Amino acid sequence: MKKNIIMYTMLFLLCSFSFFRAQTAEDKKQISTAVTDILKGFQNKNGDLMNAYVNKAYGVGVLFKSGGDLGFVLNEEVDFDMPLGYIEKAWNIRNQFPIQFGDVSEYDSKNKKWKKEGLFVQFNSNSVNDYVDKFSDVSSIKDQDIFKINSDPENVVFVTLAENSKENAPINGFRFVMTRIGAKWYLTLIDVTEYNAE
C-alpha cells in the first residue's frame, strides 16, 4: 500500500512537471511578445518582423486547402514578395483582441465563420499531429523535420486569431503554430486551412 502511494505521488509529480513545463511565466511572456510581433508583421506585410521568429534550420511551413484537399509547402522564411495565394485571403486581419490562454476557437466550415471571436493561445497542443494524420499514408509529410519537431505537444503552442468579417467574404482569421526549440519559441507553421483556395 505504501509503495502504491509513493508510486502514485511520483507519477503525479512527473505528470505535473511535464504539464507545466510549457506554461512557465517566461514561456507566456515569450509567447505573448512573439504572437504580438507575428500578427503585427502579418498585418503590415513585414516579413522581417515575422522572420525574427523563424528558425533558420527548419523554416516555416504553410498548411492550406485547395479543392478540398489538405496541402503543405515549406519555405525558408516568410516572404511577402512570393506568390502566396493561399495566404492572401487571410490578409484582412485586424487583431483587436487581448490574448486569452486556453482552448482555441473552432472554425465552422459549414457556416464559414468562427464559433467564438478572440485571440486564443493553446499550450500543449496536439494540432500538428492531428494534421499529419489527415495526410494520406503515401505522403512523406510525416518524415519532414518541420513535423517531427512538432510531434511533442508539450513543445507546441497553437495560436488562433478568430475574427468574423462583417461582409460575406472573406472570413478573417489567422492561425499559426509556435514550437519550442531549445529555450526559444519559433513560428513553425502557418495554418490557413479554413480558406479553400480555388
Side-chain angles (χ1 to χ4, degrees), residues 11-12 30 35 65 84 88 108 118 131 164 173 175-176 189:
L11 185 61
F12 175 76
Q30 274 190 38
V35 166
K65 280 189 179 174
L84 301 170
E88 289 178 9
D108 180 353
Y131 278 120
N164 290 320
R175 298 188 295 195
F176 58 93
L189 292 165

Side-chain angles (χ1 to χ4, degrees), residues 90-107:
W91 279 357
N92 297 322
I93 63 171
R94 296 180 307 268
N95 187 22
Q96 302 172 354
F97 304 103
I99 293 175
Q100 300 175 51
F101 290 97
D103 291 339
V104 298
S105 180
E106 293 180 30
Y107 184 73

Side-chain angles (χ1 to χ4, degrees), residues 127-170:
S127 59
V128 177
N129 291 328
D130 293 341
Y131 278 120
V132 168
D133 291 343
K134 291 178 185 175
F135 281 98
S136 68
D137 290 336
V138 295
S139 172
S140 62
I141 293 293
K142 295 177 185 179
D143 298 330
Q144 295 196 28
D145 289 340
I146 197 79
F147 288 101
K148 287 180 181 178
I149 61 168
N150 282 293
S151 63
D152 182 357
E154 290 181 8
N155 294 322
V156 177
V157 170
F158 192 58
V159 180
T160 301
L161 173 61
E163 297 177 330
N164 290 320
S165 174
K166 304 306 177 220
E167 305 87 39
N168 289 332

Side-chain angles (χ1 to χ4, degrees), residues 21 27 30 55 58 149 155 179-186:
R21 191 178 119 205
D27 285 328
Q30 274 190 38
N55 183 288
Y58 295 103
I149 61 168
N155 294 322
T179 309
R180 184 200 341 249
I181 302 171
K184 187 176 176 190
W185 290 92
Y186 290 94

